[in-house]
Amino acid sequence: MRVALHTTVRADRVAEYEQAHREVPAELVAAIRAAGAHRWTIWRSGTDLFHLLECEDYARLLAELDRLPVNIAWQTRMGELLDVVHDYSAEGAGASLPVVWELP
């Protein structure tokens, strides 16, 4: 499945956000893959962040990551950098952007 997300980075923390994503912990990357993610891309336009995630089951991915210390630490760090934080808990599985149109 594909999931699109929108978050917003704080204007004064853009450089720090981008630096953090150049240093995503290998343990977190492995956990994201183990939870069923195949690809995750983030684009930035100003302070708007657009994510496209390809995974097996988004709710399951969130539930598996929700309890891992490496993800908890990462989400705490991201919470300091973002104005609009996607709810990465299992309850946030419905926070994805709705599809408006797709080229068949």
Side-chain angles (χ1 to χ4, degrees):
M1 75 185 301
R2 290 180 307 156
V3 178
L5 306 169
H6 174 247
T7 56
T8 306
V9 65
R10 294 180 184 172
D12 62 335
R13 308 296 289 272
V14 170
E16 191 175 346
Y17 179 86
E18 290 188 353
Q19 181 61 38
H21 282 81
R22 286 190 286 275
E23 304 169 346
V24 177
E27 182 184 2
L28 179 59
V29 172
I32 291 169
R33 288 190 188 281
H38 305 290
R39 296 181 63 110
W40 194 327
T41 305
I42 304 172
W43 292 270
R44 184 177 65 79
S45 177
T47 59
D48 289 306
L49 303 169
F50 301 94
H51 309 242
L52 180 59
L53 170 62
E54 296 176 24
C55 63
E56 295 166 15
D57 181 326
Y58 185 51
R60 181 177 63 86
L61 180 137
L62 292 179
E64 288 186 23
L65 294 177
D66 197 38
R67 58 186 164 77
L68 298 178
V70 67
N71 185 59
I72 293 167
W74 180 259
Q75 296 310 322
T76 298
R77 184 175 184 194
M78 291 302 102
E80 297 169 355
L81 305 177
L82 299 174
D83 276 330
V84 174
V85 181
H86 167 66
D87 181 359
Y88 285 97
S89 67
E91 295 80 33
S96 65
L97 298 172
V99 174
V100 175
W101 181 82
E102 185 172 1
L103 179 66

